[in-house]
Amino acid sequence: MARKTPGLNTASSADIAFLLLTFFLLTSSINTEQGIPRRLPPPKDPNVKEEQVDINKRNVLTVRVNFNDAIMVNSEIININELKDVAKNFLANPTNDPDLPMKESKDIEGIGDFAVSKGVISLTNDQSTTYNMYVQVQNELQRAINELRDQTSMNYFGKKYDNLDTALQKSIQKAIPANISEAKSKDYGGN
Amino acid sequence: MARFRKEEKKEVPELNMASMSDIVFMFLFFFMVISNIREASLKVEFKPPQATEIQKLEKKQLVANIYIGAPLNNDENTLPPGKVSVQLNDQTVKQEHLTSDVRDFVGNEKESRTTEDAAKLTFSLKVDHSVQMRYVNIIKEELRNNNALKINYATGKKVDAQRK
C-alpha cells in the first residue's frame, strides 16, 4: 500500500519571499535617471586655426551669470522669472523688430516654408556661479524653446510637441532650433 | 429531537497560506523589474537641483554617472581651492590624476559596451546644487577632450505649481 505523502507546510515560504522582497527594496532604487540633456561641442583640433565667426549683433542674445548668481541679458539685469519671456521674444521675434534676430525662410519637410530664426543664445558663466543657478538658467532657456515648439506644433499639427511622431518632431526641431552656445567661463573675482 | 440539538461550537477554518507566497513573489518580481541595483556607494554629497524641463533617459545601460559634490568623509580626495570631490565609479579622483582618470573612465565605459551602444552612451553629471561651476567646467572640458559629448545634467523634478 502506497503511503500518503504528508502535505508540506508552506506558511514559511511567504516569510522567505517577504525577506527577499525587503532585501530588494532596500538595495535598489527606482529609476530616477532624468535631467536636462545637452551636447558638448566637439573637441578642438589644434591644427585648425580658430575662426572668428562674424555673427550679426542682432542675432545674439548674451546671457551672463555672475558670481552672485545675478543674470544680465544684453547689459540689462533681469530676474530669473523674466528670462524665459525675454528668450522667447528673442527667438520668435513676432513683430519682426530690426533689433531682434533675422529670419531665413526654409523649406521644411511636413511644414513647408517656415521663417527660421537665426538667433543664438550665448551663455557665459562666472567660475563661481553655483550649479543650481546654471541649471535654472538652462531650464528657463529650454522652457522658452519648448514653449515655442509647442506653439508651432499646435499651429501646424494641432498636437503638442511631445505627442508628435519622431519624424514630425525632427521637423519642428529644424523650425525652432535650440541654439545655445556656451562661452568659456570667466573668473571675475569673488571666491 | 433534532431541533433542540445542543449547538456545537463552530470553529474558524484555518486560512490557506499557500497563495500568499505567490502574491509576495509577484511583488518581488515587480520590484526587481522596475528597479536597479545601486552600483556604487556615494562618497560625495549629492542633492540635485530642481528643474521643470526635464527628460527621462531612455536606457539605464547607456548611462555612466559622474558625481561632483562636497566629500562625505574628510579623507577623500578633493580638488582645490574649495572642498569638492569628483567621484568616478566608486572612488574620488586625485587632482593630479584627473585628466588620466577621466580618460580611463570614458575609455572603460565605452569599451564595456558594444560599438553601437557606445555611440549612444550618455554621461550623466550628478552635481550637487551648491557646487561652483568651475568644477563642472573642468569635467566638461575633460569629457569634451575625450570625445564624450552626450551629457546630461541630472536634476530633480520641480512641481510646476510652485512656480510664480
Side-chain angles (χ1 to χ4, degrees):
Chain A
M1 206 165 88
R3 242 187 241 165
K4 208 178 156 194
T5 8
L8 279 172
N9 187 4
T10 47
S12 57
S13 78
D15 294 352
I16 297 168
F18 259 122
L19 209 81
L20 281 174
L21 180 63
T22 12
F23 171 74
F24 272 97
L25 276 179
L26 289 179
T27 54
S28 63
S29 57
I30 295 168
N31 206 350
T32 49
E33 287 295 319
Q34 52 188 19
I36 303 173
R38 280 278 176 271
R39 246 198 121 73
L40 295 173
K44 270 181 249 163
D45 193 341
N47 302 322
V48 179
K49 231 182 159 187
E50 246 180 79
E51 278 176 58
Q52 201 70 43
V53 189
D54 197 26
I55 303 178
N56 203 326
K57 203 183 161 203
R58 65 182 272 198
N59 289 339
V60 185
L61 182 79
T62 329
V63 181
R64 290 197 177 87
V65 189
N66 78 351
F67 55 88
N68 271 337
D69 289 355
I71 305 166
M72 184 167 90
V73 176
N74 285 350
S75 75
E76 224 179 296
I77 295 172
I78 63 160
N79 201 308
I80 179 91
N81 301 328
E82 303 163 62
L83 181 62
K84 184 203 78 185
D85 291 328
V86 171
K88 219 172 139 182
N89 190 42
F90 169 81
L91 288 173
N93 192 6
T95 54
N96 287 322
D97 191 318
D99 288 336
L100 291 176
M102 285 185 274
K103 290 178 185 170
E104 191 182 21
S105 195
K106 274 187 191 163
D107 186 37
I108 293 167
E109 208 181 315
I111 297 180
D113 269 346
F114 190 88
V116 181
S117 170
K118 281 182 158 183
V120 176
I121 297 173
S122 158
L123 180 60
T124 314
N125 290 289
D126 191 88
Q127 292 278 35
S128 304
T129 305
T130 60
Y131 180 68
N132 186 37
M133 199 59 199
Y134 175 76
V135 167
Q136 296 309 321
V137 170
Q138 289 273 3
N139 186 45
E140 291 302 310
L141 296 178
Q142 191 61 47
R143 202 147 74 96
I145 291 163
N146 284 352
E147 281 184 15
L148 283 175
R149 283 181 176 167
D150 266 351
Q151 275 172 19
T152 320
S153 171
M154 280 309 251
N155 283 345
Y156 283 90
F157 308 116
K159 274 192 213 163
K160 285 219 163 178
Y161 174 72
D162 283 342
N163 303 333
L164 291 176
D165 301 334
T166 332
L168 292 181
Q169 278 190 349
K170 283 248 167 73
S171 301
I172 296 277
Q173 275 173 25
K174 272 184 203 155
I176 316 276
N179 283 333
I180 302 176
S181 116
E182 275 184 56
K184 210 166 156 47
S185 288
K186 297 200 172 78
D187 216 339
Y188 289 114
N191 185 15
Chain B
M1 271 194 279
R3 270 198 181 187
F4 296 106
R5 200 192 319 169
K6 194 183 168 196
E7 272 194 31
E8 277 171 37
K9 204 150 196 195
K10 265 188 195 160
E11 249 181 63
V12 192
E14 219 170 278
L15 279 174
N16 188 2
M17 285 289 169
S19 55
M20 181 161 164
S21 63
D22 294 352
I23 296 169
V24 177
F25 265 119
M26 219 164 69
F27 266 126
L28 177 64
F29 292 137
F30 172 71
F31 276 103
M32 278 169 72
V33 168
I34 67 160
S35 63
N36 46 277
I37 295 171
R38 263 178 224 152
E39 67 276 18
S41 58
L42 271 183
K43 296 258 169 79
V44 298
E45 215 175 284
F46 170 55
K47 197 166 158 263
Q50 308 289 305
T52 53
E53 307 301 315
I54 54 179
Q55 286 178 26
K56 286 214 168 98
L57 296 183
E58 320 96 34
K59 274 192 183 162
K60 187 77 202 162
Q61 304 95 281
L62 299 179
V63 179
N65 291 321
I66 298 172
Y67 295 92
I68 307 175
L72 290 175
N73 283 326
N74 274 332
D75 48 354
E76 297 292 350
N77 304 311
T78 56
L79 305 182
K83 283 209 117 199
V84 170
S85 296
V86 174
Q87 184 184 352
L88 303 172
N89 294 323
D90 52 354
Q91 275 179 0
T92 50
V93 173
K94 276 195 183 124
Q95 193 202 9
E96 56 267 33
H97 298 156
L98 184 75
T99 312
S100 64
D101 276 359
V102 174
R103 191 181 58 224
D104 292 348
F105 177 73
V106 172
N108 283 338
E109 293 288 339
K110 280 193 176 166
E111 246 170 51
S112 63
R113 291 166 172 86
T114 58
T115 338
E116 207 179 304
D117 280 358
K120 292 187 202 153
L121 183 63
T122 308
F123 287 84
S124 185
L125 294 177
K126 301 202 161 175
V127 186
D128 190 73
H129 69 290
S130 60
V131 168
Q132 291 184 353
M133 278 309 289
R134 65 180 83 239
Y135 306 103
V136 185
N137 288 332
I138 294 170
I139 297 298
K140 268 162 72 179
E141 195 59 40
E142 292 295 340
L143 285 177
R144 196 181 149 194
N145 292 339
N146 288 300
N147 231 332
L149 303 179
K150 236 179 136 186
I151 60 165
N152 172 60
Y153 301 115
T155 60
K157 175 107 181 124
K158 189 191 265 176
V159 184
D160 218 25
Q162 285 175 349
R163 302 189 68 88
K164 272 172 200 154

